[in-house]
Amino acid sequence: MSARRRRLLDAAHSPWPMLIALVASVPAFYDSMMPTPATWATWMYVVSGLVVLASSWRLQHSLARQAHPPGGTVSWARHAVDLKLDWFLGGALLLNAVLPQSNASEPALIWRLLVAVLMLYRLLKISLPLFTETGLARLLAMGATVLALCGIGFYWLDPGIDSLHDGLWLAFSTAATVGYGDVVPSSTASRIFSVFVVLLGYGLLSLVTASIAAMFVGTQERKVEHEIMRDMHTQLRTVREEIRLLREELAAQKGLNAPPAEAQPPQTPAEATPTA
């Protein structure tokens, strides 16, 4: 595969346009449940849907070009399910823009909830490599950022949340599944939002716990590997010393078993006198 085709394929597989478009449509989903929905939510659905469809078309077009090139190994099966889901999500986001508001139509709310669950699945599948390839410090920073955004979301959605710090506290207690009961969601939008915050909290806490466990396991593995390497070096030195002793013994035995030199017959005076 040429360098140009590889760059085009990598650009088509980039998760960032899809990730940004799906995240940008989340506020529009909750705005449709507010008492006075804003008009920007409709345009957010339209823009997000077009970006998702454009990303799906670019990926499908790139895979079609790379399906059977000389020496190509791109498999359609690995991307078929994701492509179908992306096409569906793009069309669903455009449909959300023309459906009635969720606070005025229960079927529209159920449809948007179904689309939101599929969006959450796609977001997790896209962003999971981005989270698992980072260290603990970056993972904690991203977790704090997500919790801050969730706190702002509670402050925006719930009329019972009077301050931002109450929203942040509700986001933390919800994500950690603590449930003190001092601050609770009181509106339909914030209750639905809390469901996704709980799922997000499970994911974040699992990643942080796994990262901490990996640090301890990695430290223990390095100690074990160091001990194994040290034992291997000791054994190699012993083997080399034994090989050296064996070579010396073999050389000594060869010297003892060598045949004596043949005796030369005495020379006569005529043979000993050089000729002129």
Side-chain angles (χ1 to χ4, degrees), residues 75 94 110 126 165 169 229 271:
S75 176
L94 293 178
I110 296 174
I126 293 174
H165 62 82
W169 172 246
M229 294 298 296
E271 292 176 346

Side-chain angles (χ1 to χ4, degrees), residues 133-251:
E133 292 175 358
T134 58
L136 179 60
R138 293 185 179 180
L139 189 60
L140 290 174
M142 286 189 290
T145 303
V146 171
L147 287 179
L149 294 176
C150 291
I152 296 173
F154 276 120
Y155 178 62
W156 171 49
L157 295 172
D158 200 318
I161 304 299
D162 299 328
S163 60
L164 181 59
H165 62 82
D166 286 340
L168 294 174
W169 172 246
L170 180 58
F172 173 77
S173 59
T174 304
T177 63
V178 177
Y180 290 109
D182 52 348
V183 183
V184 296
S186 59
S187 65
T188 303
S190 61
R191 288 170 183 170
I192 295 175
F193 186 65
S194 64
V195 173
F196 294 102
V197 173
V198 169
L199 297 176
L200 188 62
Y202 279 136
L204 285 175
L205 291 177
S206 299
L207 289 175
V208 171
T209 305
S211 182
I212 295 174
M215 289 177 59
F216 286 108
V217 172
T219 303
Q220 187 65 27
E221 286 182 350
R222 284 192 294 269
K223 290 181 180 179
V224 173
E225 289 176 358
H226 181 70
E227 293 177 359
I228 292 174
M229 294 298 296
R230 183 172 57 186
D231 185 59
M232 289 178 61
H233 285 253
T234 302
Q235 292 182 7
L236 284 174
R237 285 195 295 268
T238 304
V239 170
R240 287 171 182 166
E241 183 66 18
E242 291 178 355
I243 292 174
R244 186 183 64 81
L245 294 175
L246 287 174
R247 286 177 176 175
E248 292 178 355
E249 291 179 3
L250 288 175

